[in-house]
């Protein structure tokens, strides 16, 4: 009789393969404490390390840095940094990052623009760096310099970056003597239409290009000759670029494109089926996937012209390629909202559930009811159109974009959401709270048992916070069961009572960010710091924004007076970060 297999019976090689799929910080914390064998697996391993350092406490990081990071720097293959204090430590010391000689993937967020020289001087020392993702949280003035630094990284194949949303848009004087090895570039910023050609001259091996928003300056010049390139996959939000200005890009740049995703402005020309039927065979002969999206806000009179335009996308040209489109619309008094997008064969990762389906092109004239590819679902306005005819089994991120999703008449209850969502899979929630009842918010949180990250845009509640915080049966599971670790709150005025509420509502929070256009009282900040051990024992990273510079010094003195040692950091956008 064969006995039951035990975990310890597996070979070391099996565990090393398992560890490769896990973050090193988590796996070492779980397995190394089991027994001496597992501890030795981590101590003597030569396997690559994937490391994600986020909301980690200062004492834990100090020990981790000394005993794991430095001795195993040569093994680190993937590194994710999002803690501003840890980022500063890594960038300020010229001796740390160069030790990551096998680093291939580097993800770094919340980067101040002043750190650009430190960042790239370190990155140039990494011979195997192939993927780079970073985001600046403050304005960057010299974008040309940024692109030059990216293009100089010798082994880089994949790069995604975003800039602070308030940066000034202008033409980029790209260098003409720098040639990058990039094959994938994701530009999560506003980008000038005229800069596409000089950009491509710097990245001759580029296959995938994605731009968050294209803009047309008044000085725009049309392309008039073929631009050599290797582009096969293109993802563009065309911003204010109309079809007449974009057509030359198709004719002279997109000859090798196989996959094209376009989010267009409200220009009817993009819905001219005959124009596409002429362009695609001649200038994009290899095109396999054609995804077109357009969101239109107009009056009910002009809104009537769009449905006949959709009828033109039912010719043999579109049916043979199985390129079908859905037409959603909604009329409120004299206004009309229309959403047109491609369906099969494109599988969307983000979907907005709002407008009523009016038309689906194609031989079956039917839109899929189970959208397995969607990971981020956005709910807007009235729920009467979200009638449960679709299901989204793999959604992990849920957003409510109406001003108050809890308002009577449009409230989407958790029991209703279960008709088309698997609630246990939701990890991230973004919602507005505008003079609703706190019981509705807590009901929603309770219905999402594995929720980890929350974004709240808050203006007020119907009942007082004091009455809500009185012990009652409904609140007990909220306080004890929710696993939310990362909370961002945007609030008009953050009062002392508001802060007490959030501390009670999210007892397991590790990272808390509070943004308010009005000043905080020192009482509010002091309440958090003085209740860390009792109310929020897991919290070790606090960020808030102060508009009044005279308050900075008082906050600094308050921090220095605390019993626990707290690191303090300020930035030029009024941000204050505390870490302990």
């Amino acid at each position: 009789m064969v006995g039951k297999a035990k975990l310890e019976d597996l070979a070391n090689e099996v565990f090393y393969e398992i560890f490769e799929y896990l973050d090193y910080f988590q796996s070492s914390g779980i397995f190394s404490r089991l027994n001496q064998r597992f501890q030795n697996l981590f101590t003597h391993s030569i396997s690559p390390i994937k490391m994600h350092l986020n909301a980690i406490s200062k004492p834990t990081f100090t020990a981790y840095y000394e005993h794991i990071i430095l001795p195993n720097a040569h093994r680190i293959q993937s590194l994710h940094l999002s803690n501003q204090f840890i980022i500063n430590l890594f960038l300020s010391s010229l001796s740390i990052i160069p030790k990551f000689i096998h680093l291939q993937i580097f993800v770094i967020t919340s980067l101040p623009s002043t750190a650009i020289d430190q960042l790239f001087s370190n990155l140039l020392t990494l011979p195997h760096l192939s993927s780079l993702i970073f985001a600046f949280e403050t304005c960057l003035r010299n974008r040309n310099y940024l692109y030059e630094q990216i293009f100089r990284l010798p082994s880089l194949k994949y790069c995604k970056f975003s800039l602070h949303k308030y940066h000034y848009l202008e033409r980029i004087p790209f260098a003409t003597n720098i040639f990058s090895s990039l094959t994938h570039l994701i530009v999560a910023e506003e980008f000038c239409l005229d800069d596409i050609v000089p950009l491509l001259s710097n990245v001759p091996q580029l296959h995938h290009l994605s731009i968050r928003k294209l803009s047309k300056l008044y000085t725009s010049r049309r392309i008039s000759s073929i631009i050599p390139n290797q582009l096969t996959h293109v993802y563009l939000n065309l911003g204010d670029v109309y079809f007449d200005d974009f057509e030359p890009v198709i004719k002279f740049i997109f000859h090798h494109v196989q996959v094209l995703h376009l989010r267009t402005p409200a220009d009817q020309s993009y819905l001219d089926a005959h124009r596409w039927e002429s362009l695609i065979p001649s200038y994009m002969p290899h095109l396999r996937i054609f995804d077109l999206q357009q969101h239109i806000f107009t009056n009910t009179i002009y809104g009537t012209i769009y449905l006949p335009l959709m009828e033109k996308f039912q010719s043999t040209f579109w049916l043979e390629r199985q390129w079908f489109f859905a037409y959603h619309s909604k009329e409120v008094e004299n206004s009309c909202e229309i959403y047109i997008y491609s369906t099969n064969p494109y599988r969307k990762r983000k979907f907005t559930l709002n407008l009523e389906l009016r038309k689906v092109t194609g031989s079956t004239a039917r839109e899929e009811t189970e959208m397995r590819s969607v990971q981020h679902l956005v709910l807007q306005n009235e729920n009467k159109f979200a009638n449960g005819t679709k299901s989204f089994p793999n959604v992990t991120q849920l957003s409510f974009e109406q001003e108050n999703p809890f308002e009577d008449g449009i409230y989407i209850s958790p029991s209703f959401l279960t008709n088309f969502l698997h609630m246990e899979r939701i990890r991230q929630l973004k919602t507005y709270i505008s003079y609703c009842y706190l019981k509705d918010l807590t009901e929603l949180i309770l219905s999402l048992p594995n929720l980890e990250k929350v974004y709240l845009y808050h203006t007020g509640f119907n009942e007082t916070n004091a009455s809500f915080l009185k012990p009652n049966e409904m609140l007990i599971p909220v306080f004890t069961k929710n696993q939310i670790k990362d909370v961002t709150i945007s609030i008009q005025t953050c009062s002392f009572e508001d802060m007490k509420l959030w501390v009670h509502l999210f007892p397991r929070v590790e990272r808390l960010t509070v943004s308010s256009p009005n000043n905080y009282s020192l009482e509010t900040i002091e309440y958090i710091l003085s209740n860390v051990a009792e109310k929020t024992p897991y919290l070790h990273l606090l960020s808030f924004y102060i508009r009044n510079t005279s308050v900075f010094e008082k906050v600094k003195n308050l921090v220095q007076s605390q019993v626990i040692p707290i690191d303090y950091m300020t930035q030029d956008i009024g941000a204050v970060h505390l870490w302990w």
Side-chain angles (χ1 to χ4, degrees):
M1 180 177 179
V2 180
K4 292 183 179 181
K6 298 180 179 179
L7 181 68
E8 291 83 352
D9 296 335
L10 297 176
N12 290 349
E13 290 74 18
V14 175
F15 285 108
Y16 285 138
E17 288 188 21
I18 295 174
F19 296 156
E20 287 185 15
Y21 290 94
L22 302 174
D23 175 72
Y24 191 84
F25 176 67
Q26 294 177 329
S27 57
S28 62
I30 295 172
F31 288 95
S32 62
R33 295 189 180 96
L34 294 178
N35 54 43
Q36 189 61 43
R37 179 199 173 191
F38 285 104
Q39 188 173 354
N40 291 337
L41 284 178
F42 284 93
T43 304
H44 304 297
S45 173
I46 59 173
S47 300
I49 292 176
K50 297 178 181 179
M51 193 172 293
H52 193 158
L53 300 175
N54 187 6
I56 182 174
S57 70
K58 183 181 175 183
T60 302
F61 171 75
T62 300
Y64 193 67
Y65 179 75
E66 293 177 359
H67 301 296
I68 296 180
I69 295 179
L70 290 181
N72 297 284
H74 62 287
R75 292 173 52 200
I76 297 177
Q77 187 180 78
S78 174
L79 180 61
H80 293 232
L81 302 178
S82 58
N83 181 313
Q84 294 91 340
F85 295 91
I86 297 176
I87 291 172
N88 279 5
L89 172 66
F90 275 70
L91 294 183
S92 60
S93 176
L94 297 178
S95 61
I96 299 176
I97 293 181
K99 293 181 180 179
F100 303 144
I101 57 175
H102 291 110
L103 186 66
Q104 298 179 14
I105 302 171
F106 192 19
V107 180
I108 180 168
T109 59
S110 303
L111 192 68
S113 58
T114 53
I116 184 171
D117 287 322
Q118 291 175 314
L119 173 65
F120 285 97
S121 62
N122 277 286
L123 297 182
L124 281 170
T125 67
L126 304 176
H128 301 291
L129 183 67
S130 58
S131 297
L132 174 64
I133 300 175
F134 62 93
F136 287 104
E137 66 172 19
T138 55
C139 293
L140 182 70
R141 299 187 181 280
N142 192 344
R143 291 190 299 150
N144 177 51
Y145 181 71
L146 170 64
Y147 280 96
E148 285 187 9
Q149 298 308 306
I150 294 172
F151 295 159
R152 292 184 189 278
L153 297 176
S155 302
L156 196 64
K157 298 296 183 182
Y158 177 98
C159 183
K160 176 181 179 180
F161 70 90
S162 61
L163 303 183
H164 190 269
K165 62 182 178 180
Y166 296 118
H167 79 271
Y168 177 69
L169 179 65
E170 58 184 354
R171 290 290 311 276
I172 302 174
F174 284 98
T176 58
N177 59 344
I178 302 177
F179 301 99
S180 171
S181 58
L182 278 173
T183 59
H184 291 65
L185 178 61
I186 301 175
V187 182
E189 66 149 333
E190 194 169 5
F191 195 86
C192 291
L193 176 66
D194 282 357
D195 286 336
I196 289 183
V197 172
L199 169 66
L200 292 176
S201 67
N202 289 125
V203 284
Q205 301 178 49
L206 194 68
H207 297 303
H208 289 64
L209 175 64
S210 175
I211 298 177
R212 184 178 66 183
K213 183 181 179 182
L214 269 180
S215 293
K216 177 181 178 293
L217 295 181
Y218 293 111
T219 57
S220 293
R221 297 183 300 274
R222 290 197 176 189
I223 307 169
S224 57
S225 59
I226 294 176
I227 308 300
N229 70 89
Q230 301 297 322
L231 285 179
T232 58
H233 294 66
V234 178
Y235 308 76
L236 299 175
N237 180 340
L238 293 173
D240 61 356
V241 178
Y242 279 36
F243 204 175
D244 288 343
D245 295 304
F246 184 65
E247 187 176 48
V249 175
I250 296 174
K251 290 183 174 180
F252 298 113
I253 295 180
F254 286 179
H255 184 74
H256 299 291
V257 169
Q258 301 174 21
V259 177
L260 180 62
H261 301 271
L262 299 177
R263 187 179 182 92
T264 73
D267 175 15
Q268 297 174 26
S269 299
Y270 284 110
L271 302 178
D272 185 339
H274 296 305
R275 190 168 179 177
W276 285 113
E277 290 172 18
S278 175
L279 281 172
I280 291 173
S282 300
Y283 300 101
M284 294 185 289
H286 308 289
L287 195 63
R288 296 183 292 103
I289 294 178
F290 178 65
D291 171 45
L292 185 69
Q293 300 181 56
Q294 187 171 125
H295 206 161
I296 303 132
F297 296 89
T298 184
N299 58 49
T300 53
I301 297 176
Y302 285 104
T304 59
I305 67 175
Y306 288 94
L307 189 55
L309 291 175
M310 293 301 299
E311 301 287 349
K312 303 296 183 182
F313 285 90
Q314 298 192 94
S315 67
T316 304
F317 176 89
W318 303 99
L319 298 180
E320 286 179 348
R321 291 166 172 80
Q322 294 190 334
W323 292 345
F324 308 140
F325 300 86
Y327 175 95
H328 293 246
S329 68
K330 181 183 66 175
E331 295 181 3
V332 179
E333 296 181 349
N334 295 323
S335 64
C336 180
E337 182 181 357
I338 299 169
Y339 182 40
I340 298 169
Y341 62 91
S342 303
T343 56
N344 190 33
Y346 174 48
R347 297 292 182 257
K348 298 179 182 299
R349 293 186 178 181
K350 181 178 179 180
F351 186 81
T352 299
L353 191 59
N354 174 15
L355 309 181
E356 187 173 12
L357 180 63
R358 304 288 189 184
K359 174 72 177 179
V360 178
T361 66
S363 57
T364 60
R366 180 177 59 87
E367 190 179 22
E368 59 183 327
T369 58
E370 186 174 62
M371 303 187 72
R372 291 184 169 274
S373 64
V374 175
Q375 299 175 7
H376 181 188
L377 180 65
V378 180
L379 299 178
Q380 290 183 341
N381 300 327
E382 296 85 350
N383 65 4
K384 62 184 178 182
F385 299 130
N387 54 22
T389 57
K390 295 180 186 296
S391 65
F392 303 87
N394 296 316
V395 166
T396 60
Q397 183 176 348
L398 179 63
S399 297
F400 295 89
E401 288 196 348
Q402 62 266 48
E403 291 185 0
N404 185 7
F406 303 98
E407 183 180 346
D408 293 341
I410 64 172
Y411 174 50
I412 303 178
S413 67
S415 60
F416 179 79
L417 293 174
T418 58
N419 292 330
F420 51 91
L421 291 176
H422 290 183
M423 305 293 275
E424 71 279 0
R425 294 190 177 179
I426 306 297
R427 296 292 188 272
Q428 184 170 315
L429 171 68
K430 181 183 293 186
T431 185
Y432 288 82
I433 307 172
S434 179
Y435 296 101
C436 68
Y437 289 98
L438 276 164
K439 64 180 179 61
D440 295 332
L441 175 62
T442 56
E443 182 186 21
L444 179 60
I445 291 175
L446 276 174
S447 70
L448 305 172
N450 296 311
L451 194 62
E452 297 176 351
K453 195 168 188 176
V454 173
Y455 296 86
L456 299 176
Y457 301 89
H458 174 233
T459 57
F461 291 106
N462 281 337
E463 69 268 64
T464 65
N465 294 345
S467 65
F468 175 79
L469 291 174
K470 292 179 180 179
N472 59 71
E473 293 181 359
M474 185 198 71
L475 289 179
I476 293 175
V478 179
F479 292 160
T480 58
K481 289 186 177 181
N482 85 71
Q483 303 296 316
I484 300 168
K485 300 177 181 179
D486 192 335
V487 178
T488 298
I489 302 168
S490 180
I491 185 170
Q492 189 67 24
T493 300
C494 186
S495 68
F496 178 61
E497 290 297 323
D498 287 325
M499 191 56 70
K500 287 176 63 178
L501 167 67
W502 303 125
V503 167
H504 280 80
L505 195 56
F506 305 113
R508 296 180 180 272
V509 64
E510 298 176 358
R511 182 172 190 158
L512 175 61
T513 302
V514 183
S515 176
S516 173
N518 299 317
N519 287 322
Y520 300 80
S521 67
L522 289 180
E523 181 189 30
T524 301
I525 301 171
E526 186 175 17
Y527 174 78
I528 297 181
L529 299 180
S530 61
N531 285 276
V532 166
E534 179 184 357
K535 304 292 186 182
T536 54
Y538 302 94
L539 180 66
H540 27 251
L541 187 60
L542 173 65
S543 299
F544 50 93
Y545 296 84
I546 297 178
R547 302 293 185 257
N548 190 341
T549 55
S550 65
V551 180
F552 277 130
E553 196 62 31
K554 294 179 181 179
V555 173
K556 186 175 182 180
N557 293 334
L558 176 63
V559 169
Q560 292 173 345
S561 67
Q562 300 301 309
V563 176
I564 58 174
I566 300 177
D567 279 5
Y568 175 97
M569 181 192 304
T570 62
Q571 293 176 332
D572 58 4
I573 57 174
V576 177
H577 306 289
L578 306 179
W579 184 41
W580 57 89

